[in-house]
Amino acid sequence: MELKMGGKNLIKSNRKVILEGMRDGIPIGLGYLAVSFSLGIAAKTAGLNAFQSFLASLLCNASAGEYSGFTVIAADSSYFVIALATLVANARYLLMSCALSQRISKNTSIIHRLLLGFFVTDEFFGISISRSGKLNPFYTYGAILIGCPCWAFGSMLGTIAGNLLPLRIVSALSVALFGMFLAIIVPPSRKNKTLLGIVLVSFAASFAFAYIPVINQIDEGTRTIILTIVISAAAALLFPVKEEEENENVA
């Protein structure tokens, strides 16, 4: 009898946590809907149809990773280059997953661990890691139930709009994606001169790679991977982040 009561209490507790996650996932879902619409435009430009765009966003919950994938697809790169570009663009999620692994109970099953790892995004990580105490996976699931469908359907709607709207309007809407990236890099760059320098070097190197003989013969996706690895590795060696600064950023 006590076991049955304990099971009912657990289900009731998980249901409450899921609802809390769904509540916190509403603003994330609305943001995803807007951003993924621009990704749908990029998918259309790369030659994907609405269903393919929907499936891509359903299986890859990352704007930078998807955009990198669409870029190398548009450049007619190999499957290996597409996979590598996506891996490099999403590498930060490995660190986020490690951080989340320290916040969940040791008794958490492998299924829950795999699901949490698969759905790690900047936003889901942010709201999950900010929870006090041990993280209940059902909280993240609640946010996922709202956010992920918005992400996938937003991409599909963007691709459909790209097929219906005139080419000039599609080109104009695709600029929104670049605006999204600028919104991500500009605020932290204004606060950190080192980061600003790295961003400017990245812009300059990307421009130079497009015109330097021999290198400009390499497809755009591969050039992006090379620049990402070289510049990020050089920045980590030359300007390592001190532990005190990391703690301040987390706080």
Side-chain angles (χ1 to χ4, degrees):
M1 185 67 177
E2 290 181 359
L3 290 176
K4 289 183 179 179
M5 290 299 295
K8 289 182 179 179
N9 291 335
L10 180 61
I11 293 174
K12 186 176 180 180
S13 175
N14 287 339
R15 186 181 302 163
K16 178 176 180 294
V17 173
I18 285 179
L19 292 176
E20 292 175 357
M22 293 177 69
R23 176 200 63 199
D24 295 343
I26 291 175
I28 293 176
L30 294 175
Y32 278 0
L33 193 64
V35 172
S36 61
F37 187 89
S38 299
L39 275 172
I41 298 292
K44 188 267 177 186
T45 304
L48 277 68
N49 59 38
F51 175 73
Q52 291 169 334
S53 176
F54 173 85
L55 194 61
S57 291
L58 193 65
L59 299 177
C60 183
N61 305 295
S63 56
E66 275 194 68
Y67 181 69
S68 298
F70 294 152
T71 299
V72 293
I73 288 174
D76 198 24
S77 300
S78 65
Y79 289 128
F80 175 76
V81 172
I82 295 172
L84 188 57
T86 306
L87 175 63
V88 171
N90 293 339
R92 68 185 186 280
Y93 296 129
L94 297 175
L95 300 177
M96 294 183 189
S97 296
C98 290
L100 277 179
S101 69
Q102 305 303 307
R103 295 296 308 278
I104 58 179
S105 171
K106 294 181 179 180
N107 298 324
T108 303
S109 68
I110 186 64
I111 298 298
H112 287 305
R113 293 175 184 269
L114 290 174
L115 286 173
L116 286 175
F118 179 78
F119 288 105
V120 167
T121 68
D122 297 340
E123 295 76 20
F124 292 150
F125 171 79
I127 63 173
S128 298
I129 203 72
S130 63
R131 298 275 291 183
S132 59
K134 291 293 183 180
L135 173 66
N136 186 334
F138 286 91
Y139 170 78
T140 306
Y141 298 160
I144 289 168
L145 286 174
I146 300 296
C148 285
C150 289
W151 183 257
F153 279 106
S155 296
M156 184 179 69
L157 292 175
T159 303
I160 293 174
N163 289 325
L164 298 177
L165 296 174
L167 182 60
R168 290 184 178 180
I169 297 180
V170 172
S171 298
L173 288 173
S174 64
V175 175
L177 192 60
F178 296 99
M180 177 195 70
F181 282 105
L182 288 175
I184 292 174
I185 64 174
V186 169
S189 297
R190 293 177 61 184
K191 299 177 182 179
N192 190 320
K193 293 183 178 180
T194 300
L195 182 58
L196 176 61
I198 294 171
V199 170
L200 294 177
V201 168
S202 300
F203 285 159
S206 180
F207 179 79
F209 267 38
Y211 293 95
I212 295 176
V214 180
I215 294 180
N216 63 359
Q217 301 300 314
I218 303 174
D219 68 84
E220 185 178 353
T222 304
R223 293 203 306 265
T224 300
I225 294 172
I226 294 173
L227 284 172
T228 302
I229 295 175
V230 171
I231 294 176
S232 60
L237 291 173
L238 296 175
F239 309 103
V241 178
K242 297 180 181 179
E243 185 175 351
E244 294 80 3
E245 294 179 1
E246 290 181 341
N247 292 333
E248 290 176 2
N249 291 333
V250 171

